C-alpha cells in the first residue's frame, strides 16, 4: 500500500471533521452581509496552512477580499508547485430547496456515495477540493515526502469574478514565481473514470435594462399603445438565438476554434450516457446547438444564457400594470480564441441595434475572462497522468469543461505558468445549486492522489 493511502485511512475522521468546521463559515463573497465571515474564513485557511506545515503564511490585503498566501520552501533549486483555490462560496439561495441548512454540514449516504457525502454550500466548490491540498501537504510534511517547494494562493473572490486577484498577481510576481499551477476546482467523469480537465470556457457576463414609459402604467389604459419593456426584452432575447440555436450576434463566431473531425471523434470516445444524463436532470430531452453532441455543446461551443430576468409585478395575485423597466442578466460562455472584451462589445452593439423605437436600452458589462486549454503534451499533464495512474490503475481521460476559472489564462499571461486541473468533483455534486455535496470517497481520493503529482512533476521537471 502506498503511504499517502495509509495516512489518509488513519486520519480520515479528522480530515472530514476539519472540512466540516470550514464549511460552517458562510463565506459568501457576493453578499456584503457576509463580509465578516469571508474575512474570518481567510484567517481560518491561513491557520490551517500553518498547521499543515507551511513555514510562512499571510493574509494579504487587496482592494477587495484578502488572498491567503503560504509557502514551504525546502530548496530554492528545486521546482515549485503553486496551488490555487478559493475559500469563497456561492450564495446558498434558494434556501428553501435545501434539505439541510447550507452552513450546517451533514454527512449522508447517497446512491453514488455509499460511503457518505458532505452536504453544505462550498463542500465541493471549492472548500472541499481546496482543502484536499492542505491535507496532502500535511501528509507530505509529516512523512518527509515533500519533494519540492510549495506555495498556496487561496482567494476569496472567485465566485464574483476574481476582480482583485489580477491586482494581487501584478504586484507579487516574485513571490508567486512557480513552475506549475495546480488547481482542484473542476470535476472528473466518474468515480471509476478519472479525468483531467484540459479546457475551461471563457465568460462574458452582462446585465441589460430596457426602459419604456417613465413610470409604471395601467395596463388597460395604456396597453397596446406604448412599448411594454418586458414584452420587448423577451422578444430581443428570443432573437439572440435562431431556430438552430446558433447565436445571432454578428461576428460572434468569427474567432471560434473549430475542432477537426479527428479531435471531435476522440472527444466522443469519452464515456457518456445520454439517458442517465437526462434522468439525472428529469428531462425528456436535451436541447442545444444543431450539429453538436451534448458533450460538445457544453465544452467546445460558445453559448448564450439568460441567468435571471425580472420586471413588473411578481407578488401575490394579479396587478394590471405595464412596467417602466425590464432587466436581465446574460452570460456568454466562450471558447479559446474568442476575446471576452471583444464579445462584450459585439453584444452591446447588437443589443442596442435591435432595440425597437419606443424603448431605450442599456447594457452594463459585469465581469469576464478568457478560456483556457492545457496542452496534453507538457510535463505537467504527464505528471498528473502518472499520479492518477498510480492511484486508479489507469490513465485519466482528458476532458474539456464548460465551466470557467477566468484567472487561469491570466496566470499564464502574468506568471508564464501552465495550469493543471486535477478536479475530483462529480456532476451530482450540485455545485452552485441547493444540496451541494462532496463525496467522502472523492475527498479522500484527492488527498491520496495529489502527493503523486508532486513526486512525478519534480522528477519530470528535473529531467527536462
Ligand atoms: N469551480 C467553478 C468552475 C468549474 C466548475 C469549472 C466545474 C469546471 C468544472 C468556479 O468556482 C465557478 O463557478 N466559476 C464561475 C465563473 C466565475 C467568474 C463566477 C462559472 O463558471 O460560472
Ligand atoms: Mn470553484
Ligand atoms: Mn463556483
Amino acid at each position: 500500500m502506498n503511504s499517502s493511502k495509509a495516512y489518509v485511512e488513519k486520519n480520515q475522521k479528522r480530515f472530514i471533521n476539519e472540512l466540516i468546521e470550514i464549511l460552517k463559515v458562510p463565506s459568501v463573497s457576493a453578499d456584503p452581509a457576509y463580509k465578516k465571515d469571508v474575512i474570518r474564513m481567510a484567517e481560518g485557511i491561513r491557520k490551517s496552512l500553518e498547521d499543515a506545515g507551511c513555514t510562512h503564511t499571510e493574509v494579504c490585503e487587496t482592494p477587495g477580499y484578502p488572498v491567503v498566501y503560504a509557502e514551504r520552501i525546502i530548496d530554492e533549486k528545486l521546482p515549485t508547485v503553486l496551488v490555487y483555490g478559493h475559500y469563497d462560496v456561492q450564495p446558498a439561495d434558494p434556501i428553501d430547496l435545501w434539505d439541510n441548512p447550507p452552513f450546517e454540514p451533514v454527512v449522508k449516504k447517497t446512491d453514488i456515495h455509499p460511503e457518505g457525502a458532505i452536504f453544505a454550500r462550498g463542500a465541493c466548490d471549492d472548500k472541499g477540493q481546496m482543502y484536499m491540498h492542505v491535507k496532502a501537504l500535511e501528509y507530505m510534511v509529516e512523512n518527509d515526502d515533500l519533494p519540492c517547494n510549495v506555495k498556496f494562493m487561496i482567494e476569496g473572490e472567485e465566485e464574483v469574478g476574481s476582480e482583485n486577484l489580477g491586482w494581487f498577481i501584478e504586484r507579487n510576481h516574485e513571490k508567486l514565481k512557480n513552475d506549475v499551477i495546480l488547481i482542484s476546482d473542476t470535476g472528473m467523469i466518474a468515480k471509476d473514470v478519472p479525468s483531467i480537465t484540459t479546457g475551461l470556457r471563457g465568460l462574458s457576463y452582462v446585465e441589460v435594462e430596457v426602459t419604456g414609459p417613465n413610470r409604471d402604467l395601467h395596463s388597460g389604459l395604456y396597453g397596446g399603445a406604448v412599448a411594454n419593456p418586458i414584452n420587448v426584452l423577451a422578444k430581443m432575447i428570443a432573437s439572440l438565438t435562431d431556430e438552430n440555436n446558433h447565436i445571432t450576434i454578428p461576428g460572434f463566431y468569427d474567432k471560434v476554434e473549430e475542432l477537426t473531425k479527428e479531435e471531435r471523434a476522440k472527444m466522443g470516445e469519452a464515456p457518456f450516457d445520454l439517458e442517465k444524463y437526462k434522468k439525472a436532470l428529469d428531462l425528456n430531452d436535451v436541447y442545444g446547438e444543431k450539429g453538436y453532441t451534448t458533450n460538445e455543446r457544453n465544452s467546445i461551443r460558445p453559448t448564450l444564457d439568460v441567468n435571471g430576468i425580472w420586471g413588473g409585478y411578481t407578488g401575490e395575485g394579479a396587478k394590471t400594470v405595464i412596467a417602466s423597466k425590464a432587466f436581465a442578466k446574460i452570460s456568454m460562455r466562450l471558447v479559446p480564441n474568442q476575446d471576452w472584451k471583444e464579445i462584450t462589445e459585439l453584444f452591446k452593439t447588437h443589443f442596442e441595434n435591435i432595440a425597437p423605437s419606443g424603448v431605450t436600452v442599456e447594457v452594463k458589462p459585469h465581469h469576464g475572462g478568457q478560456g483556457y486549454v492545457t496542452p496534453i503534451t507538457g510535463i505537467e499533464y504527464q505528471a498528473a497522468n502518472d499520479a492518477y495512474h498510480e492511484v486508479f490503475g489507469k490513465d485519466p481521460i482528458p476532458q474539456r469543461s464548460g465551466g470557467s476559472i477566468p484567472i487561469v489564462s491570466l496566470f499564464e499571461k502574468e506568471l508564464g505558468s501552465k495550469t493543471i486541473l486535477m478536479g475530483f468533483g462529480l456532476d451530482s455534486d450540485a455545485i452552485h445549486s441547493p444540496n451541494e455535496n462532496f463525496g467522502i470517497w472523492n475527498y479522500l481520493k484527492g488527498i491520496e492522489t495529489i502527493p503523486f503529482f508532486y513526486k512525478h512533476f519534480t522528477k519530470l521537471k528535473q529531467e527536462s
Side-chain angles (χ1 to χ4, degrees):
M1 185 156 53
N2 68 61
S3 58
S4 63
K5 186 176 175 119
Y7 190 79
V8 168
E9 259 170 32
K10 203 169 104 211
N11 293 285
Q12 51 177 310
K13 281 232 161 62
R14 177 171 59 84
F15 288 177
I16 294 164
N17 289 334
E18 287 177 14
L19 176 56
I20 285 177
E21 287 309 307
I22 289 170
L23 293 170
K24 287 181 186 168
V25 184
S27 48
V28 179
S29 51
D31 186 345
Y34 295 99
K35 187 169 177 189
K36 279 207 179 92
D37 298 299
V38 181
I39 293 168
R40 177 159 68 94
M41 189 75 276
E43 172 51 26
I45 299 303
R46 186 207 62 75
K47 176 79 170 53
S48 64
L49 283 160
E50 183 176 83
D51 293 345
C54 284
T55 47
H56 170 78
T57 61
E58 293 176 65
V59 172
C60 308
E61 296 307 321
T62 75
Y65 285 127
V67 174
V68 180
Y69 175 81
E71 64 181 30
R72 186 177 174 96
I73 306 295
I74 56 174
D75 181 348
E76 294 289 347
K77 290 189 286 299
L78 286 168
T80 301
V81 174
L82 173 69
V83 176
Y84 163 83
H86 60 96
Y87 65 81
D88 65 321
V89 299
Q90 283 277 323
D93 313 64
I95 299 233
D96 301 351
L97 298 182
W98 285 75
D99 295 333
N100 295 90
F103 299 106
E104 293 170 28
V106 287
V107 175
K108 284 192 292 190
K109 292 186 166 56
T110 67
D111 289 348
I112 295 166
H113 296 295
E115 314 80 9
I118 306 174
F119 285 77
R121 172 55 87 228
C124 170
D125 184 12
D126 178 39
K127 287 176 172 172
Q129 296 212 68
M130 176 265 295
Y131 205 65
M132 298 183 314
H133 289 269
V134 181
K135 294 298 99 177
L137 175 70
E138 178 195 302
Y139 154 73
M140 291 186 284
V141 171
E142 287 287 311
N143 296 274
D144 210 7
D145 204 13
L146 179 67
C148 61
N149 304 312
V150 56
K151 295 176 176 176
F152 282 80
M153 172 171 59
I154 312 296
E155 72 153 316
E157 299 188 319
E158 197 278 340
E159 298 292 10
V160 287
S162 301
E163 261 177 67
N164 296 295
L165 193 64
W167 179 94
F168 180 77
I169 295 171
E170 277 164 34
R171 283 161 183 76
N172 290 285
H173 276 199
E174 197 47 42
K175 185 184 213 150
L176 300 172
K177 223 171 137 219
N178 66 79
D179 295 285
V180 66
I181 293 172
L182 178 59
I183 305 180
S184 295
D185 193 21
T186 55
M188 62 195 282
I189 295 177
K191 282 163 107 174
D192 55 349
V193 189
S195 53
I196 297 176
T197 303
T198 51
L200 293 164
R201 285 196 287 191
L203 179 68
S204 163
Y205 201 107
V206 298
E207 187 168 325
V208 298
E209 182 179 320
V210 176
T211 307
N214 61 3
R215 59 183 166 91
D216 287 7
L217 302 173
H218 189 291
S219 66
L221 297 183
Y222 290 93
V226 299
N228 177 329
I230 302 176
N231 291 20
V232 168
L233 175 60
K235 271 195 192 169
M236 289 172 76
I237 289 171
S239 80
L240 294 174
T241 48
D242 68 14
E243 67 282 8
N244 294 323
N245 285 317
H246 280 293
I247 294 154
T248 55
I249 300 168
F252 186 85
Y253 290 99
D254 282 3
K255 295 190 175 164
V256 168
E257 166 205 56
E258 295 288 344
L259 268 64
T260 63
K261 255 202 190 126
E262 291 72 30
E263 285 170 311
R264 288 178 66 183
K266 187 100 195 89
M267 265 190 79
E269 285 170 20
F272 177 71
D273 186 332
L274 187 60
E275 287 314 308
K276 266 198 195 156
Y277 183 88
K278 289 195 283 192
K279 192 152 184 284
L281 301 174
D282 279 330
L283 291 171
N284 58 20
D285 207 352
V286 289
Y287 185 91
E289 189 182 1
K290 196 175 169 193
Y292 294 90
T293 66
T294 296
N295 268 340
E296 290 172 340
R297 287 170 179 168
N298 68 18
S299 64
I300 60 164
R301 298 298 296 166
T303 55
L304 184 149
D305 279 290
V306 178
N307 293 242
I309 182 163
W310 70 101
Y313 183 70
T314 57
E316 286 295 314
K319 178 186 179 194
T320 49
V321 65
I322 291 174
S324 163
K325 285 176 185 291
F327 307 83
K329 291 184 195 275
I330 297 173
S331 70
M332 288 162 281
R333 296 283 167 171
L334 311 175
V335 296
N337 300 339
Q338 279 184 299
D339 179 77
W340 78 272
K341 289 194 171 145
E342 215 173 290
I343 293 292
T344 306
E345 271 311 303
L346 290 178
F347 177 92
K348 188 170 157 44
T349 308
H350 180 65
F351 207 74
E352 287 165 357
N353 281 342
I354 61 174
S357 59
V359 300
T360 55
V361 304
E362 198 184 336
V363 177
K364 296 180 214 158
H366 276 264
H367 52 75
Q370 308 295 86
Y372 185 76
V373 188
T374 318
I376 59 170
T377 46
I379 59 163
E380 55 287 325
Y381 187 89
Q382 187 63 45
N385 185 87
D386 296 351
Y388 282 104
H389 200 112
E390 282 207 51
V391 173
F392 290 80
K394 54 177 144 184
D395 280 344
I397 295 173
Q399 194 201 31
R400 288 218 211 167
S401 172
S404 309
I405 311 178
I407 209 70
V408 171
S409 69
L410 204 74
F411 288 152
E412 178 151 279
K413 196 164 146 249
E414 289 281 330
L415 303 171
S417 319
K418 291 271 181 260
T419 290
I420 190 80
L421 298 155
M422 294 178 72
F424 287 87
L426 297 174
D427 280 350
S428 55
D429 293 345
I431 63 172
H432 294 206
S433 305
N435 301 316
E436 176 177 353
N437 64 95
F438 192 34
I440 285 171
W441 184 91
N442 299 65
Y443 176 53
L444 300 177
K445 257 315 174 230
I447 305 171
E448 184 187 335
T449 311
I450 290 162
F452 288 101
F453 174 80
Y454 283 72
K455 179 178 102 174
H456 289 290
F457 182 76
T458 305
K459 194 167 128 259
L460 289 167
K461 182 79 195 170
Q462 285 174 329
E463 286 165 9
S464 71

